[in-house]
Amino acid sequence: MNVGHVGIWSVELRLGDAGEISERAAELDELGWGALWIPGLGGGDVLGDSERLLKATRRLTVATGILSIWRHDAEEIAAGHHQLQQAYGGRLVTGLGVSDPAAAEQAGRPFRPVADMNAYLDRLDHSATPLPARERVLAALGPKLLDLAAQRTAGAHTFLVTPESTADTRRTLGPAATLAPYQAVVLDPDPATARATARSFLSPFIGMAHYARSLRRQGFTEADLAGGGSDRLIDSVVAWGDIEAIGRRVRAHHDAGADHVALHVITTDGAFPRTQWRELAPLAH
């Protein structure tokens, strides 16, 4: 996986105006970011959205973070991945996740995370155009899925984790697998407004059972999870402040064993964070 040391994770690059997406992606490529990550969301044409980014860029890698295995047919993903790799010089990484029991229920299936992911990876392996293990990663939080990521993919893309958790994950994955944590970012030096911005974004995730379990494994308490997240939790999983503060968090993940850190700039207006991406660009190198 050639994703560089730091990348950009962006909802806007999936849901924004198509023309502006292409313009912003081209600029991010010129700024030197190693990868652009887009979320899987509720499904949809994520391969087409990935191609828009690949077409607008020349160098960086495009990664999905993360496709739900319940919303995308394995054979179609394998075929589409192969076509995009052939057309754009092997610059696509497909990230996969098992979502949660509700997603499995909507698909009419019981929820067995490790078995379900194993079966999906089997289908990718046995498709007419197999999706190679080195070109896919897993959204893995628990130890069993992390083991699977190390055994059957290039590595793991982790969500809402501290640098201390990154160190634990590196020990589980071993030295060879790629570890690419997501890192939420608020470029705001004021503690009150920065935490408020972070909390408004994180509150729904903290309320989801699988993310809450992950945060408890990282040492957070029920009190930390209440009310949209304590200051301790917010400060631990969101990097806020000036560029120096963001840079310290990125370095902390790298020092803990991360190969790549995907920065998600959180804003309150839903617009493309063009100014923030430019300000953060020195961290790309």
Coordinates of all heavy atoms in Angstrom, one line a residue, residues 14 74 90 104 109 141 163 172 210 261:
R14 N -17.0 12.9 -0.9 CA -18.0 12.0 -1.4 C -19.3 12.6 -1.7 O -20.0 12.2 -2.7 CB -18.1 10.8 -0.4 CG -19.2 9.8 -0.8 CD -18.7 8.4 -0.9 NE -19.6 7.6 -1.7 CZ -20.3 6.6 -1.3 NH1 -20.3 6.2 0.0 NH2 -21.1 6.0 -2.1
A74 N -19.8 -8.6 -3.2 CA -18.4 -8.9 -3.2 C -17.9 -9.0 -4.6 O -16.8 -8.4 -5.0 CB -18.0 -10.1 -2.4
G90 N -3.2 1.5 -10.3 CA -3.1 0.8 -9.0 C -3.1 1.7 -7.8 O -2.5 1.4 -6.8
A104 N -26.6 -5.9 9.5 CA -26.8 -7.3 9.1 C -28.3 -7.6 9.1 O -28.8 -8.3 8.2 CB -26.1 -8.2 10.1
R109 N -29.7 -11.1 7.6 CA -28.7 -12.1 8.0 C -28.4 -11.9 9.5 O -28.5 -10.8 10.1 CB -27.4 -11.8 7.3 CG -27.5 -12.0 5.8 CD -27.4 -13.4 5.3 NE -26.2 -14.0 5.7 CZ -25.1 -13.9 5.0 NH1 -25.0 -13.1 3.9 NH2 -23.9 -14.5 5.4
L141 N -11.6 -3.1 15.1 CA -11.4 -2.5 16.5 C -11.1 -3.6 17.5 O -10.2 -3.4 18.3 CB -12.7 -1.8 16.8 CG -13.1 -0.6 16.0 CD1 -14.4 0.0 16.4 CD2 -12.0 0.5 16.2
P163 N -3.5 7.4 20.5 CA -2.2 6.9 20.2 C -1.8 5.6 21.1 O -1.1 4.7 20.6 CB -1.2 8.1 20.5 CG -2.1 9.3 20.2 CD -3.4 8.9 20.8
T172 N -0.8 -6.2 18.3 CA -1.7 -7.2 17.8 C -1.5 -7.6 16.3 O -1.4 -8.7 15.9 CB -3.2 -6.8 18.0 OG1 -3.4 -6.6 19.4 CG2 -4.1 -7.9 17.5
H210 N -21.0 -0.6 19.2 CA -19.6 -1.1 18.8 C -18.5 -0.1 19.1 O -17.4 -0.5 19.5 CB -19.6 -1.7 17.4 CG -20.0 -0.7 16.3 ND1 -21.2 0.0 16.4 CD2 -19.5 -0.4 15.1 CE1 -21.3 0.7 15.3 NE2 -20.3 0.5 14.5
V261 N -1.7 8.2 8.9 CA -2.7 8.8 9.7 C -3.7 9.6 8.8 O -3.2 10.4 8.0 CB -2.2 9.8 10.8 CG1 -3.3 10.4 11.6 CG2 -1.2 9.0 11.7

